[in-house]
Structures are given as structure tokens and as C-alpha cells.
Amino acid sequence: MKRTLSAITTIVIAVGLAVTGVSTANADDAVPPVTSDVAPTPGPAATDVPAPTPSTPTPTPSTPTPTPTTPTPTVAPAPKTALVASAPAKSTTPNPSASPIPSNDTCLPSSAIRYSYDPTKNSGIVTVTAQPYSTEQLCAPLFITAASWKYTQAAVWPQVLDSSKTSYITVDKVGTYMFEAAVTCGQGDIYARTGSYIIPTSTLPGPQPWEKFLSGLGLQTTYPGNTYMQTPVGCAEIPTLPLTDPKPVTFVDTCGTEADKVVIPALTSDDHFIYSTSDVTSKGGVRTVTVTATPDKGYGFSSEAETSWSHTFKTDAQNNCVTVPGDPEAVGQTCAVSADGVVSGYLTVAPVTGVVYTIHPVTPAGADITVTAPKTNVAPGDYVITAAAEPGYILSGVTEWKRTVADNAVDCSLPTDAFLPSSVSWVGETCSAGGTVSGYIAIDPTDFLSYFVGTTQLVSARTAFAPGTYIVTVVAPAGDTIDGPSSYTATITKSATSCGNLDPQSLTTLAFTGFDSGAGYLAVASAFLMLGTALVFSARRKAKA
């Protein structure tokens, strides 16, 4: 009886399972979407790929198993169906929103993501694979930016973004996602990160810190290289512009701010550019001037062209400014007074540190003369004297003069008799508030006459002598005549009173003595002698015998 009941129970359970369509296959036997390690060939955009139709596996009745001791039926879970998500639409507008993630189930980790990349086309595929006991949603959706850049010149940098070929793809659940940004002449970059899209700048001057590439996320891939590429340079279609190079700008840095200059060349109708000036003076008074050239519209500068000039003007101290002193003097050529011959004419300058003088003969012409002394002998003629700054110095004031050296020596071979006036006077001993003042003999020292007291030559205008009588002898050069006495008797008188016993207020200066006619006549004679000295330079010539 028991065996009969057991057989009936088994038959009933089997029939029930067959009617309900429950399979004894384990849920873990569900087959996930198949991925390949071979890089797929990029196809059309994700929006052009129709969504695959999910298929449901046909349940297979299980073979009856022996009835356990406890007659409790074991019910297997319902089988899961392999799911393949359709590729999301490709968009050129970033949309960082992702599908909501169910809070009660386990989301997919990043290990479920796998990608391929084709650098020849700057494209690839991202595949998200389902995993057992997980939802179809990624825990951290992936935001991909497929960027296309264009070269702007025959070099890699800079580049500009080609917005029409740049796209944004959100990877958020199980499925296959295509990305592509075609590059014609430039660079292609596949950026990616979680949280939000990377929005490229309009210009790329070089590698930037914000560039985060798909290849840098550590995801599974069939292409272990970087997810960016570059086409060869030289492919850019750069318009050819007529070139016009600017003329150079110069600066004149002189002593004093008033003379500082910025020399900008004058423009003509053939110059297709303009100059702009920036003049800045700091709080410390330092002035910096910058001049920049900009081409006219439709024109360009060559790569070798200099287009900007800048200069900081120095202070007078920094420039080692030197003011040139005085004016040069020209002295004409003359005949020698003491003997037949010529006294050369000359030019004088004032030597000063930082200045170099040069004498340029004009008539008669000749080689330039570099001045090495305050006095430079030159032949009669016309000259231009210039002052130039030594290295490291700047001059201020007049730096050029025209001078003429006259020829005053008509015929120096003729003998010349000069009439040279002599001049001798003397003063006796006197008293002053301080005591006795010595007497002295006074002469007019010249280069022509010589004065002697005995064998002692008088060389000073005044020579002190003790009281007494002295003979002063005047000697003229050979061939010349003394205009006046050639011998004087000078008596130096002694003070008539002891200077120490006199009231200082009663002291008077004794008059000059030496002539019987008195001091008044001596003064008149001295005046005529001074006039005679001036006449020395107008010598009278007499014919040869």
C-alpha cells in the first residue's frame, strides 16, 4: 500500500511541474552576452543599430529524482534570460543624466565594462556585460567624450575643436556602445570619466591637465594603448596671405628725459601694418615703452619678422651722463719773437672723463686727428672739432665746433727788432698794525726781458729786500731793444720810527720812491711802461742791410 501511494505522489508532482513549465535548471546556468577580445570594426553610429530581440530559452522537463525520506517537493527558481541592451543613441550634446539605479539590487561594477579602440578612425566600442545576481545598471555610469581636433598650421599645436564631429556617449547599463570622432587633419581624443562629461575647450595649445582619457581608467580592453591619435602635420589648409614685414623701431636714450625718443618709421601706402605704443612709467619713475606692429586685415608677417620692440629708459646716473665743458680755442700761427722761425698755431680742448675729441681738417683736407692733450698743434686752416662719448657714457651739451687757425706768420725769415719796455719800481720799509713790513722791488715779469740784482734774477712781481741801495739791471733778448732804462737804482728806506711805539691808527703806507721827481711821476711812468708792453706784439720790421 505504501509503495502504491509513493508512486502516485511522484506521478502527481511530475505532472504538476510539466504543467507549470518550471525547469529544474539552475539560474546560474543563464548565459551572459558573449564578448570578444578582438577589436571590432567600428560600424555606423549607435542610433543606426536596431535593438536586438531578447530570446527566451525553452524549458526542459527535468528527470524525476528519487523521493527523499521527507516527502517535501523541491521547487527550482525560474530561469533567467540572457539580456542584451540596445546601443544608446549617439549625441553631440552632453547629457550627464544616467538611468536610475534600483536601490534594492546589486548594481554592476566597473569590471563589467570592456572596450576596444581603433586609432586609425578614432573610434571604438564599449561593452557592458551582465553578471549573475546583479541588475543591468552600472554602479558608476561612464561618460565618454569623443573629440575631434583640427590643426591650425603646419605643426601639432595649437589645435581647434571640430564641434561638428565631437560627440558624447553615456554608458550606464548592459549593452554595446559605439563611440567615434572622425579626424581629417588633426588629433582625435577619447576622453572618459564617471560623474559628468569632459567638455573640451575651443582651442588646445598643448596637452592639458583636464584631459582624462578612456585608456587611463584601468578598464578591460582589447587595445592596451592610449585612446588618442594624430594625423601627420602639414595637412592643414592654411590660407596664404601676402606678407609685409614691419620696419624696425629704435630708441634714443639720452641725458635728461626731455631728449628721450622713440623713433617709429613713417608709413607709406606700401606698408600694410600699423604700430601701437604702450608707454608705462612706474611709481619709481622708470619709463618703459613698448611698440607692437600689427598687420592689416588680409596680410601677415613672415616667421622671421620682428614685430615688437621694448626699451626701458635709464636715469642720467645709469647712463653715465657727461656734460662737455667749455668751447675749444683756436690760436693762429705766428713768427718767433726771439729768433727767426715760426710758432705753430694750435687748438685747445678741455679734457674730461668719458669724452673723446676728434679734429677733422676741412681746408686743407687731411686725416682726422685724435686729441691726446689739451693743446694740439695744427697748420693754419679750417677745422671741425667733435666730442664723442666713450663706451658706457652719454654726452649732453654742445658736441661740435668749427674753428679757424689763422696764418699770422707772413715771412718769418726777416729780422725783427722788438722795442721792449722795462718796468721797475720799489717800496721802502713801512709799519703796520702787526709790526714792520719789509720793503720790496717790483718788476713786470715777461717772457722777453730779464731783471737782475747783481747776479740774482728777479722772477716774481715783488721781491722783498732789506733797507739799502740796489742796482737793478734789465737785459733784452739778442736783436731786441729795451724801450726805457736798462739799469735802475732802487733804495729801500728804513722805517723812520720804531713800528712798535706807534699807535696803529697813525700808521700810513709810504709812497713809492726811486725817482727825484717823486711818487706821482713814478705812477705816470709805470702807466706808460704798461702801454709799451702791449706794443711788443706789434713789432716793427726793418729791411735787411
Side-chain angles (χ1 to χ4, degrees), residues 180-263:
E180 180 181 17
V183 178
T184 303
C185 179
Q187 177 172 296
D189 293 323
I190 306 301
Y191 307 121
R193 70 181 176 190
T194 59
S196 63
Y197 289 107
I198 293 176
I199 308 299
T201 57
S202 59
T203 302
L204 193 65
Q208 299 298 308
W210 56 260
E211 293 185 288
K212 308 297 181 184
F213 295 90
L214 176 61
S215 56
L217 299 182
L219 303 174
Q220 299 183 65
T221 180
T222 59
Y223 182 80
N226 297 314
T227 52
Y228 58 80
M229 52 80 70
Q230 291 176 339
T231 66
V233 298
C235 56
E237 295 181 1
I238 303 173
T240 302
L241 298 176
L243 301 180
T244 173
D245 287 352
K247 301 173 183 177
V249 174
T250 57
F251 301 89
V252 179
D253 196 341
T254 61
C255 297
T257 57
E258 298 82 2
D260 290 342
K261 295 180 181 178
V262 181
V263 182

Side-chain angles (χ1 to χ4, degrees), residues 41-49 90 178-180:
T41 303
T47 53
D48 298 330
V49 180
K90 177 181 178 182
M178 291 189 60
F179 57 84
E180 180 181 17

Side-chain angles (χ1 to χ4, degrees), residues 143-365:
F143 297 91
I144 297 176
T145 302
S148 177
W149 303 90
K150 296 187 294 186
Y151 294 146
T152 58
Q153 56 187 8
V156 174
W157 313 108
Q159 304 168 8
V160 294
L161 183 67
D162 189 347
S163 300
S164 64
K165 296 179 181 179
T166 298
S167 58
Y168 303 85
I169 303 95
T170 303
V171 178
D172 57 354
K173 61 184 178 180
V174 173
T176 302
Y177 304 80
M178 291 189 60
F179 57 84
E180 180 181 17
V183 178
T184 303
C185 179
Q187 177 172 296
D189 293 323
I190 306 301
Y191 307 121
R193 70 181 176 190
T194 59
S196 63
Y197 289 107
I198 293 176
I199 308 299
T201 57
S202 59
T203 302
L204 193 65
Q208 299 298 308
W210 56 260
E211 293 185 288
K212 308 297 181 184
F213 295 90
L214 176 61
S215 56
L217 299 182
L219 303 174
Q220 299 183 65
T221 180
T222 59
Y223 182 80
N226 297 314
T227 52
Y228 58 80
M229 52 80 70
Q230 291 176 339
T231 66
V233 298
C235 56
E237 295 181 1
I238 303 173
T240 302
L241 298 176
L243 301 180
T244 173
D245 287 352
K247 301 173 183 177
V249 174
T250 57
F251 301 89
V252 179
D253 196 341
T254 61
C255 297
T257 57
E258 298 82 2
D260 290 342
K261 295 180 181 178
V262 181
V263 182
I264 299 177
L267 299 180
T268 66
S269 58
D270 295 329
D271 297 321
H272 300 284
F273 54 86
I274 59 173
Y275 292 104
S276 58
T277 302
S278 172
D279 194 337
V280 178
T281 301
S282 69
K283 293 182 179 179
V286 178
R287 179 190 181 197
T288 301
V289 178
T290 301
V291 181
T292 304
T294 305
D296 293 342
K297 185 177 181 180
Y299 290 86
F301 293 147
S302 68
S303 58
E304 297 82 11
E306 185 178 6
T307 60
S308 181
W309 303 264
S310 183
H311 181 78
T312 299
F313 288 95
K314 297 179 181 179
T315 63
D316 286 357
Q318 291 173 331
N319 279 330
N320 289 327
C321 289
V322 176
T323 301
V324 182
D327 287 340
E329 179 185 4
V331 177
Q333 177 176 282
T334 60
C335 293
V337 175
S338 59
D340 294 345
V342 175
V343 176
S344 176
Y346 55 88
L347 297 168
T348 64
V349 296
V352 61
T353 302
V355 180
V356 176
Y357 294 96
T358 303
I359 299 174
H360 308 271
V362 178
T363 53

Side-chain angles (χ1 to χ4, degrees), residues 38-41 114-118 123-127 179 214 220-223 227:
V38 181
T41 303
R114 191 181 187 89
Y115 74 88
S116 63
Y117 178 65
D118 182 358
S123 64
I125 297 176
V126 174
T127 303
F179 57 84
L214 176 61
Q220 299 183 65
T221 180
T222 59
Y223 182 80
T227 52

Side-chain angles (χ1 to χ4, degrees), residues 328 349 355-360 371 384-388 395 399-401:
V349 296
V355 180
V356 176
Y357 294 96
T358 303
I359 299 174
H360 308 271
V371 177
V384 174
I385 304 172
T386 59
L395 305 186
T399 57
E400 182 176 296
W401 307 265

Side-chain angles (χ1 to χ4, degrees), residues 8-18 67 71-73:
I8 292 173
T9 300
T10 302
I11 293 171
V12 171
I13 292 174
V15 172
L17 292 174
T67 303
T72 302

